[in-house]
Amino acid sequence: MTQPRSYSMGQRLQFWLVSHIAAMLVRLVFCTCRVKILRNDLVEKYFNQGRSGIGVTWHRGAIFSLYYFGRIHPAVMISRSKDGEYLARYLKIMGGVPVRGSSSRGGLAALKEMAQYLLEGPARYAATVADGPRGPRYVAKKGMISLAARTGLPLLPLMWSAKRVWVLKNTWDRTMIPKPFATIYFSAGREFRYPPDIKGEAMEAALRELQDELNRVKDELDAISGYQDPA
């Protein structure tokens, strides 16, 4: 989809090595994990019946989410930064479709590209992190609401949590990576649908509502799993 920036041969080799090694390690670790799904009704509706939809989550769980949902080939918005290049290549290996853009750069073009992808066929999915690419943590941005409004598809908050995780405490999002044989609890919030002309106060109200729902599901799963979110 989106054409990448121009990089030197050495940089491209570095991207290839890091993304492939990361993907190999991720698969080795994550395949040992047990996933407990708390909303089987939504799994049946979207993944078994093949209804298109848009998923949204918090940045902290992006690494496992990209692995877990790669099999349904979601279009995922990823920053155009150099760091984003690693993530885009990792996503592609996992089966996803990277679309390059963010709230600060190339966001509108990326949203149009994702909308086109979603509307080109049945059982199409898109997803991104609501608080990315730089935060603040747990503060939602408007991108996926705009995409849902543009396509008429439902927006679905998705979240996972686990007690046995590595936490990268020096990252702004406190990235979570499940440890081998961890039990992962996965759930979803309520669906949101938006009119195509949503803007102004209605958009701000929708943004607050989405943020509250994402945090509600996050807190619920953290309590079930026993995970303690670092300050």
Side-chain angles (χ1 to χ4, degrees):
M1 297 184 77
T2 308
Q3 293 300 312
R5 289 168 52 184
S6 177
Y7 290 104
S8 69
M9 180 68 74
Q11 288 174 315
R12 291 198 299 272
L13 178 60
Q14 183 178 341
F15 292 141
W16 188 92
L17 284 172
V18 171
S19 60
H20 278 77
I21 292 171
M24 179 183 67
L25 293 174
V26 158
R27 283 171 171 157
L28 283 172
V29 172
F30 292 173
C31 73
T32 69
C33 296
R34 180 185 179 191
V35 178
K36 289 189 175 182
I37 298 173
L38 306 184
R39 290 293 306 271
N40 277 307
D41 57 321
L42 293 172
V43 172
E44 176 66 26
K45 180 177 181 179
Y46 286 100
F47 306 134
N48 295 341
Q49 296 179 15
R51 299 188 187 183
S52 297
I54 302 166
V56 63
T57 190
W58 289 139
H59 202 283
R60 73 176 195 174
I63 292 175
F64 180 79
S65 296
L66 293 178
Y67 160 83
Y68 188 71
F69 289 108
R71 59 192 170 86
I72 62 171
H73 313 301
V76 180
M77 188 183 297
I78 294 177
S79 165
R80 290 183 177 181
S81 67
K82 184 178 178 181
D83 288 344
E85 188 69 22
Y86 292 105
L87 196 56
R89 290 173 183 246
Y90 164 80
L91 170 64
K92 220 170 180 181
I93 297 169
M94 290 296 133
V97 181
V99 179
R100 307 303 297 276
S102 67
S103 57
S104 59
R105 185 181 178 195
L108 182 58
L111 282 177
K112 290 180 179 178
E113 193 170 339
M114 293 176 83
Q116 181 181 355
Y117 175 80
L118 285 166
L119 298 174
E120 280 179 347
R124 291 288 183 99
Y125 306 97
T128 200
V129 289
D131 54 345
R134 302 185 185 91
R137 187 165 68 128
Y138 305 151
V139 176
K141 298 183 174 71
K142 301 174 183 178
M144 290 296 99
I145 294 177
S146 298
L147 181 62
R150 180 187 292 265
T151 60
L153 294 173
L155 183 64
L156 187 65
L158 301 170
M159 202 69 60
W160 68 268
S161 184
K163 184 175 184 178
R164 297 187 64 253
V165 295
W166 290 294
V167 179
L168 306 185
K169 294 184 178 180
N170 291 330
T171 58
W172 68 264
D173 64 336
R174 306 299 190 269
T175 297
M176 297 167 60
I177 303 173
K179 293 181 179 180
F181 304 101
T183 298
I184 296 169
Y185 295 87
F186 172 82
S187 191
R190 65 185 182 90
E191 296 178 355
F192 293 97
R193 289 183 180 269
Y194 306 104
D197 58 347
I198 187 171
K199 57 184 178 180
E201 291 184 2
M203 173 62 86
E204 294 301 320
L207 192 59
R208 290 192 296 271
E209 193 174 31
L210 174 61
Q211 182 172 300
D212 288 346
E213 183 67 359
L214 282 165
N215 283 325
R216 183 191 69 78
V217 179
K218 170 184 69 68
D219 293 344
E220 178 182 274
L221 285 177
D222 285 353
I224 292 171
S225 70
Y227 175 74
Q228 294 187 348
D229 198 8

